């Protein structure tokens, strides 16, 4: 089971969208080199206000490119990096992965999936009404967050568009993703 990297993005300053890059370097235990969200402890502004000593479970943000296709059908134009993700994938059901899944990029880099991204109001600031596209209800009525997943870097390395992504599911009973 696998897919590919469609785009990579990073920003050294706090901004909603992140510019696309030719490659990003993942640093074990930290995140994306030079990205404002890299670090051992949480770097998300809202979370830092609550408790700056929290472990950073949001080192690398991933979104499936298929989401952009879906929101386009609803009249929204969103491109890689515009929702603040670091890695845009194609061909992987990111939202269906269990906690603890390993994603291997190319020959070196490995991240461990920690949970779902909690979509924030900035999404509607980017494009009014877009939040309703990335937060919805499942068939059973439960809230479904579709704005990507979060991960931590297990093994560093360079990630580039076109790199293959290999999915390694954890052993044992799988734990569904929750907001981190």
């Amino acid at each position: 089971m696998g897919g590919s990297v469609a785009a990579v993005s990073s920003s050294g300053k706090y901004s909603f969208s992140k510019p696309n890059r030719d490659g990003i370097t993942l640093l074990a235990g930290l995140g994306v080199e030079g990205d404002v969200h890299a670090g051992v402890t949480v770097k998300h502004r809202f979370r830092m206000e609550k408790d700056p000593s929290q472990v950073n479970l949001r080192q690398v943000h991933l979104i499936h490119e298929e989401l952009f296709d879906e929101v386009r059908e609803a009249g929204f134009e969103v491109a890689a990096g515009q929702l603040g993700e670091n890695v845009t994938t194609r061909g992987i059901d990111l939202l269906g992965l269990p906690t603890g899944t390993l994603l291997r990029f190319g020959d070196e880099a490995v991240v461990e999936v920690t949970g779902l991204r909690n979509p924030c109001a900035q999404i509607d600031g980017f494009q009014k009404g877009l939040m309703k596209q990335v937060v919805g209800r499942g068939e059973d009525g439960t809230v479904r967050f579709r704005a990507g997943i979060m991960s931590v870097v297990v093994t560093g390395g360079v990630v580039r568009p076109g790199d293959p992504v290999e999915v390694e599911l954890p052993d044992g009973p799988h734990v569904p993703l929750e907001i981190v």
Side-chain angles (χ1 to χ4, degrees):
M1 171 164 63
S4 63
V5 175
V8 293
S9 311
S10 67
S11 179
K13 62 181 181 176
Y14 285 104
S15 59
F16 182 71
S17 296
K18 295 183 179 191
N20 295 151
R21 308 286 182 193
D22 293 332
I24 56 173
T25 301
L26 302 186
L27 304 172
L30 295 174
V32 178
E33 182 177 47
D35 192 84
V36 70
H37 292 103
V40 174
T41 56
V42 69
K43 300 301 177 202
H44 186 276
R45 284 192 242 183
F46 175 75
R47 292 171 188 276
M48 286 191 316
E49 286 177 15
K50 291 178 107 176
D51 179 4
S53 67
Q54 292 176 64
V55 173
N56 189 3
L57 299 177
R58 303 165 55 95
Q59 294 174 359
V60 181
H61 175 202
L62 300 97
I63 286 184
H64 53 295
E65 190 177 45
E66 292 85 351
L67 176 65
F68 305 149
D69 299 336
E70 292 172 26
V71 300
R72 187 174 300 112
E73 290 177 16
F76 296 90
E77 283 300 320
V78 180
Q82 289 187 320
L83 294 182
E85 77 275 11
N86 301 110
V87 179
T88 309
T89 64
R90 167 97 25 211
I92 302 170
D93 177 13
L94 295 177
L95 303 176
L97 298 174
T99 302
T101 298
L102 298 179
L103 299 174
R104 299 178 186 281
F105 302 104
D107 295 328
E108 301 176 279
V110 180
V111 300
E112 180 178 339
V113 176
T114 55
L116 294 168
R117 174 193 185 187
N118 186 10
C120 66
Q122 289 183 354
I123 291 174
D124 264 351
F126 173 67
Q127 288 186 39
K128 189 163 179 53
L130 184 57
M131 181 72 122
K132 287 183 181 178
Q133 299 299 311
V134 298
V135 178
R137 296 229 176 249
E139 291 179 11
D140 62 354
T142 59
V143 176
R144 296 214 37 208
F145 297 99
R146 301 173 352 114
I149 64 171
M150 307 308 282
S151 65
V152 295
V153 181
V154 176
T155 305
V158 177
V159 181
R160 293 182 181 88
D163 280 351
V165 182
E166 181 184 320
V167 177
E168 184 180 321
L169 298 175
D171 292 333
H174 292 171
V175 178
L177 297 177
E178 294 185 12
I179 295 289
V180 293

